[in-house]
Amino acid sequence: MFTLGVDIGSTTSKAVILKDGQEIRATSLIGAGTGTDGPGRAIEAVLAAGSLKPEEITAVYATGYGRKLLKNADGEMSELSCHARGVHHLLPEVRTIIDIGGQDAKVLSLGADGRMTEFLMNDKCAAGTGRFLDVMAGILQLRIEDLEKQAALSKQIVKISSTCTVFAESEVISQLANGVEIPDLVAGICQSVASRVAALAKRVGVKETVCMSGGVAKNGGVRKAMEQELGLKITHSPMAQLMGALGAALYAYDKS
Ligand code: ADP
């Protein structure tokens, strides 16, 4: 039996097909989120990747910011529940999830059974989210996937002192005008996101093992800065950005 989870985010659409509630049959990721054709394309892509026809899918669950917009879904579930479920399925030892997406950041505490016991969220401010990184990458004319490489070349981190994205933008531009090295600036940008979200994590209370989920988890520069901020090792999964969709596919399996 195949179930499908679709995570309709602010910037990306993700889909996961699960076989018998256990094995990941196929995944897809489209760089267009809610209000676009991204969700439809993510579903087409995941079906093609799994060599499946729509009628072979027993149940579909939606999650993410745009989850209510998915027509023909059998149900929907919050991103918090889906990330917790997806992470617990793949990494049962995890007790703290730091999820940084395109427009918000969340920290979740999990019990040994994978149930969420506490959470905190920042959805009020772009600083400490993927949006901050996207804006900065734009100014520096770098691709978002190249920030990690650049941060790794840093010799002396340039700290970003502005806490507001708009002011930080001006700060980065003036640092560029001062001839600061790009890698040092990128390391500072990654550190700025990590320190904001680490503060949120400390308020929740950090229990090991800690993992990051969401698209920003792909950025090794932020992962490394987060490890330094929290003084512990962060577990990383190549499925980090797909955890919500995986959780939705697991909820779809429960209902099928
Ligand atoms: P949402 O669900 O809100 O659409 P995601 O969890 O998909 O958000 O995360 C999107 C963010 O992830 C982007 O804003 C970007 O900063 C970051 N991101 C996406 N792809 C990559 C990548 N390949 N490398 C580094 N960061 C990435």
Side-chain angles (χ1 to χ4, degrees), residues 87-122:
V87 167
H88 187 69
H89 185 74
L90 292 182
L91 305 166
E93 70 282 13
V94 166
R95 297 291 175 271
T96 307
I97 304 173
I98 298 174
D99 169 34
I100 314 180
Q103 68 170 23
D104 61 23
K106 309 175 190 84
V107 180
L108 292 70
S109 262
L110 304 187
D113 58 358
R115 261 176 231 270
M116 188 174 65
T117 53
E118 223 172 314
F119 83 94
L120 271 180
M121 173 168 176
N122 160 36

Side-chain angles (χ1 to χ4, degrees), residues 168-228:
E169 204 173 339
S170 315
E171 192 178 333
V172 166
I173 292 167
S174 81
Q175 292 283 19
L176 277 176
N178 290 340
V180 161
E181 297 288 337
I182 300 247
D184 295 337
L185 211 39
V186 172
I189 288 163
C190 292
Q191 202 259 340
S192 163
V193 171
S195 75
R196 300 211 116 217
V197 185
L200 200 67
K202 285 175 189 163
R203 279 170 55 204
V204 174
V206 180
K207 286 181 289 170
E208 293 193 69
T209 299
V210 180
C211 90
M212 282 182 66
S213 67
V216 175
K218 281 182 164 169
N219 182 333
V222 176
R223 289 202 311 270
K224 188 174 157 215
M226 189 68 78
E227 289 184 335
Q228 286 164 353

Side-chain angles (χ1 to χ4, degrees), residues 29-109:
L29 169 63
I30 301 289
T34 186
T36 70
D37 63 355
R41 282 162 54 207
I43 293 171
E44 272 173 33
V46 79
L47 287 169
S51 306
L52 291 166
K53 298 191 194 74
E55 53 274 23
E56 289 176 271
I57 304 295
T58 308
V60 182
Y61 256 57
T63 188
Y65 184 64
R67 64 184 180 273
K68 298 203 189 300
L69 299 175
L70 190 69
K71 293 191 188 95
N72 306 324
D74 298 292
E76 45 141 308
M77 196 54 81
S78 78
E79 289 147 272
L80 289 164
S81 300
C82 287
H83 274 264
R85 186 84 190 264
V87 167
H88 187 69
H89 185 74
L90 292 182
L91 305 166
E93 70 282 13
V94 166
R95 297 291 175 271
T96 307
I97 304 173
I98 298 174
D99 169 34
I100 314 180
Q103 68 170 23
D104 61 23
K106 309 175 190 84
V107 180
L108 292 70
S109 262

Side-chain angles (χ1 to χ4, degrees), residues 123-142:
D123 61 352
K124 299 281 181 288
C125 171
T129 73
R131 179 78 190 136
F132 183 87
L133 295 163
D134 300 341
V135 167
M136 297 306 163
I139 296 170
L140 300 173
Q141 294 182 297
L142 293 170

Side-chain angles (χ1 to χ4, degrees), residues 3-35:
T3 57
L4 168 63
V6 187
D7 180 358
I8 306 174
S10 60
T11 57
T12 61
S13 302
K14 287 79 66 178
V16 169
I17 293 176
L18 207 55
K19 184 171 182 238
D20 299 327
Q22 279 298 326
E23 181 197 320
I24 295 166
R25 169 71 174 251
T27 67
S28 69
L29 169 63
I30 301 289
T34 186

